[in-house]
Amino acid sequence: MTTAVTASLSRWQKIKQSDFVYYFLRDKVAMLSFAVFLTCVIVALASPWIAPHDPYALESIDIMDSELPPVLFSDEGDERFFLGTDNQGRDILSTIMYGMRVSLTIGILAVGLQLFLGIVIGLCAGYFGGKIDSLLMRIADVQLSFSTMMVAIIVSAIFQGAMGSEMYSQYAILMLVLIIGIAEWPQYARTIRASVLAEKKKEYVEASLIMGLKAPRIMFRHILPNCLSPILVISTVQIANAIMSEAALSFLGLGMPVTQPSLGSLISIGFEYIFSGSWWITVFPGIVLVSLILVINLLGDWLRDFFNPKVYKD
Amino acid sequence: MSQSKHMSLLEVQHLQIEYPSRHGVMVAVKDLSLSVEAGEIVGIVGESGAGKSTIGNAVIDLLSPPGVIANGEVLLNGEKISGLTREQMRTVRGSKIGFIFQDPMTSLNTLFTIEQQMVETVLANEKVTYEEAYQRSIDMLNAVGIPKPELRIKQYPHQFSGGMRQRVVIAIALICNPQLIIADEPTTALDVSIQDQILQLIKTLCKERQVGCMLVTHDMGVVSSVTDKVAVMYRGELVEMGTTSQVLGAPEHEYTKSLISAVPRSDIKLVRFPMVNYIEAAEELHQLDIANHWLGQSQDQKAYQGPLLKVENVNLRFTTKDSIFASRREYVQASNNVSFEIVEGETFGLVGESGSGKSTIARAIAGLYAPQSGKITFEGIDLTALKNEQARRPIRRQMQMVFQNPYTSMNPRMKVADIIAEPIRFHKLAENNQQVDQIVADLLDHVGLGRKAGIKYPHEFSGGQRQRISIARALATRPRFLICDEPTSALDVSVQAQILNLLKDLQDELNLTMLFISHDLPVIRQMCDRVGVMRHGSLVEVGESEQIFTSPQDEYSKSLISLMPSFENLSKAHLQIASS
């Protein structure tokens, strides 16, 4: 009830004193998740500089180094390869770093595409209502009734057939972004439509209508900023989903080519050797993938809990 | 239960309730002492945030976390009931203290019949057979005035109307013969016509059964009609307590005086509300030289003869069930052949109960809904004939609206200055950005918020201040016609008085014409020159406001007027009565 309005605070002080930071600093799970996520992102971004080897540089790979076990677990390990090597003699640690880079890029870009499609379609459907709403939402329903995997498999198989695997592997990242982005936009469109419907009833929208503002301005300037919190929450889950979809596709051999492995394709490569004792090729990328997805989901949960208490800010 | 020394039924001693939070400890109730005798109704009155509900909740130990009783004790018949264990407290609730909640729509469990809920209450508190409990339930329903209780007891809550449900809630509260009832805003969620019946019922039952009652309310009308004693709360403190007639008729504390003078009166029309600055002192109003200021230089002032706004036979219906076959569609007629005129400079009031179509008409005039038939003319221009937004834009500028809910009527993600500047920029009413900033600052100043308010976000303001922002935004297009849709119904009474004063002042300065919509008859009486009474989408009576309030013609108007709370015993000190 204290309406102590301190206008003189700088922006940084305001951020430091906000509820967001306050509750974040008191939630150990959220902080730990964020730390792990941040480490993953930094490692992924910096991989060309910090990785001990370059798995893309074919001249540096020696087939004689293949399937070396990790140093810690076996005497046969080589000091150069901390987590061992895969079947082609690539350093697992470096490949994981580069793979994480690929996975995160695809995840984030695919979600960006979903976001763009979802915002435009969801806003239009929610704001205009009526026939436009029915049409757009039925398209979304149809899209959702195909499983993401099915669409992705069909589309990537068609493109791979049409373009040839060599060309396909050149554009693999782009293709995966498109496939995953297009397959999952209805999630966003539905969420945004629901919050637009709620916001549209509020009086500030009526006030802008009475002012005579045009629809795009009301949609993007007034309604959209007020729908941001649910968007933020599902974005975390969607990034995790997109990374998983990519991993699954790569595991099935429809994603990233062997020369540019993502976490998924690494797991898939190692899967063939798991019964011959080379468990490390699958297990280490698997652990990284699982923890990456887990921390993103935990962060999403925390964000949802933070935004959810429906209290008036007064 | 008489003891040697005289003991009140309920004794609250030095009660202190605190809510600890990260910003420090919020003291909700400060060192409060009061008592309730058997058969006595004590009103606890105050505005939002005064801590009045907290007291009721603390007595039965239902404080919402993190609230704690930091100090003091609560005694029932001389026995301490604060600080009991959960199980001990459970035996006190229900059997010794009954509770009536605010909203009868949510305080009954919709999945059980009334019988199940009532009998359960008895069996949980007393060792009786099911038959006895059932018989008691029937008797109790009879006592609260539910017809055919044997039949009704088998029904579910949704089969009862709001007023009937509240009767059931009262029956449940009383069924174990408690010595004390706590009623937290028992009639706030009900329509005026039912409100009075429920209050009288509570009053008779308390007197008959010698039950003490603690009635928490914000409504002076409720206080003046049923309570014996009244306690006035202000920001967690008890500022005044005494018999109802004494407190209302000759208040002593400054706050009580201010509160009473801010109550919109049903019996007399005032020029302005006096002394309402106790709660939320508005910034000193800087007088603007209106004639020479941007605000007074509207380019739209035309010399038009005749009524500014004319509504002729407007019909508007909403589809409740859509179908591709025209014959199977269902509609609700929100506005049925409504016609009225508003002349320049006057305030026209529309009054009616919820769902009577008042807001629909306002939105049709503002151009948010298109009527199915009828004409709305503004300065002789037929608005219903305008085909596109382009043609309508000059009219939009001249008509603005102030909304009911100050919490949702502004975009929470925009700064106040941007909210007010938006219409000016959009309609290109100023030459450059400096001028826009200047106008925004002047407007904020003029509605009593001060120039610095612009850099903040709406959530940093209280409800009344937000309503001022809303008014400033509406004025930013230099309108001639202002639609106020229940502008004060979400506000506390003293803030309401401030906003009503502001609207009156602005109207005088700027020669505004207003359409004022409210369900609150006393507010309408204070604000309007002429009034239209609406019911089920039709306008049943239009006339001069004094004439409607003193000698209504239509049957419905008569019944509405007769249900208005009377404030005969309210102090009339310091009031300027308008001469008619």
Side-chain angles (χ1 to χ4, degrees), chain A residues 191-206:
Chain A
T191 314
I192 290 165
R193 174 177 170 270
S195 28
V196 170
L197 287 180
E199 291 294 322
K200 202 174 76 166
K201 290 211 186 76
K202 293 195 178 161
E203 286 163 336
Y204 70 88
V205 177
E206 282 190 347

Side-chain angles (χ1 to χ4, degrees), chain B residues 10 34 56 93 155 185 224 266 276 291 349 362 404 432 459 520 567 574:
Chain B
L10 176 80
L34 58 80
R93 285 186 210 136
Q155 294 181 332
E185 305 267 8
S224 89
S266 50
V276 287
Q404 172 175 8
N432 51 40
H459 72 82
D520 191 338
F567 295 109
H574 315 288

Side-chain angles (χ1 to χ4, degrees), chain A residues 143-160:
Chain A
Q143 173 81 70
L144 270 186
S145 63
F146 294 111
S147 94
T148 310
M149 273 303 130
M150 195 168 89
V151 176
I153 289 169
I154 294 170
V155 173
S156 54
I158 291 172
F159 274 102
Q160 224 163 5

Side-chain angles (χ1 to χ4, degrees), chain B residues 241-393:
Chain B
M241 181 155 185
T243 61
T244 304
S245 59
Q246 179 202 334
V247 172
L248 297 189
E252 280 171 9
H253 194 274
E254 283 305 311
Y255 172 68
T256 320
K257 285 183 193 166
S258 148
L259 189 67
I260 287 173
S261 69
V263 174
R265 310 186 60 114
S266 50
D267 48 351
I268 39 175
K269 178 167 179 168
L270 310 177
V271 182
R272 279 175 68 91
F273 294 96
M275 337 168 24
V276 287
N277 282 334
Y278 195 89
I279 290 284
E280 193 174 82
E283 300 261 328
E284 188 69 22
L285 265 181
H286 287 267
Q287 284 308 315
L288 283 176
D289 183 5
I290 292 292
N292 291 319
H293 187 263
W294 176 86
L295 257 183
Q297 295 167 340
S298 169
Q299 66 262 53
D300 301 314
Q301 301 279 3
K302 282 183 225 149
Y304 173 77
Q305 303 296 314
L308 185 71
L309 184 92
K310 245 173 152 172
V311 174
E312 292 168 84
N313 302 320
V314 164
N315 279 297
L316 208 156
R317 59 188 189 185
F318 294 115
T319 314
T320 48
K321 197 175 141 196
D322 204 2
S323 162
I324 45 169
F325 304 109
S327 59
R328 296 188 60 184
R329 287 178 202 153
E330 284 170 23
Y331 304 98
V332 56
Q333 193 76 25
S335 148
N336 189 4
N337 260 330
V338 173
S339 305
F340 59 86
E341 289 177 355
I342 305 179
V343 299
E344 177 125 37
E346 79 167 342
T347 305
F348 184 82
L350 272 182
V351 68
E353 287 180 290
S354 51
S356 61
K358 318 180 286 285
S359 293
T360 310
I361 284 287
R363 282 165 169 72
I365 294 172
L368 292 174
Y369 301 150
Q372 263 81 35
S373 69
K375 260 167 85 172
I376 299 172
T377 45
F378 183 80
E379 277 197 325
I381 304 164
D382 185 358
L383 300 184
T384 45
L386 296 177
K387 283 285 168 277
N388 56 30
E389 197 45 52
Q390 203 71 36
R392 206 183 163 93
R393 195 161 298 152

Side-chain angles (χ1 to χ4, degrees), chain A residues 5 17-19 22 202-204 206-207 209-214 217 221-222 225-226 312-313, chain B residues 22 363 368 396 401 403-405 408-414 422 426-427 456 459-460 473:
Chain A
V5 186
Q17 288 184 3
S18 66
D19 285 352
Y22 179 88
K202 293 195 178 161
E203 286 163 336
Y204 70 88
E206 282 190 347
L209 281 171
I210 287 176
M211 255 175 241
L213 300 188
K214 290 182 189 116
R217 191 180 166 87
R221 183 151 173 159
H222 288 271
N226 288 296
Y312 267 133
K313 271 190 174 174
Chain B
R22 64 174 277 219
R363 282 165 169 72
L368 292 174
R396 292 237 186 253
M401 193 154 167
F403 294 90
Q404 172 175 8
N405 188 341
T408 61
S409 62
M410 274 166 285
N411 186 342
R413 305 222 176 227
M414 279 168 82
E422 191 174 35
F426 180 76
H427 289 288
K456 297 176 199 160
H459 72 82
E460 297 174 62
R473 172 180 62 186

Side-chain angles (χ1 to χ4, degrees), chain B residues 509-550:
Chain B
E509 280 171 6
L510 302 168
N511 191 27
L512 285 171
T513 312
M514 280 206 272
L515 172 61
F516 193 96
I517 293 169
S518 182
H519 69 281
D520 191 338
L521 286 155
V523 171
I524 288 277
R525 179 162 200 175
Q526 299 308 318
M527 291 299 292
C528 303
D529 303 314
R530 288 195 308 130
V531 179
V533 183
M534 288 201 74
R535 184 190 197 190
H536 301 326
S538 311
L539 201 56
V540 296
E541 186 171 0
V542 184
E544 295 290 322
S545 110
E546 286 309 296
Q547 176 252 312
I548 294 242
F549 279 90
T550 47

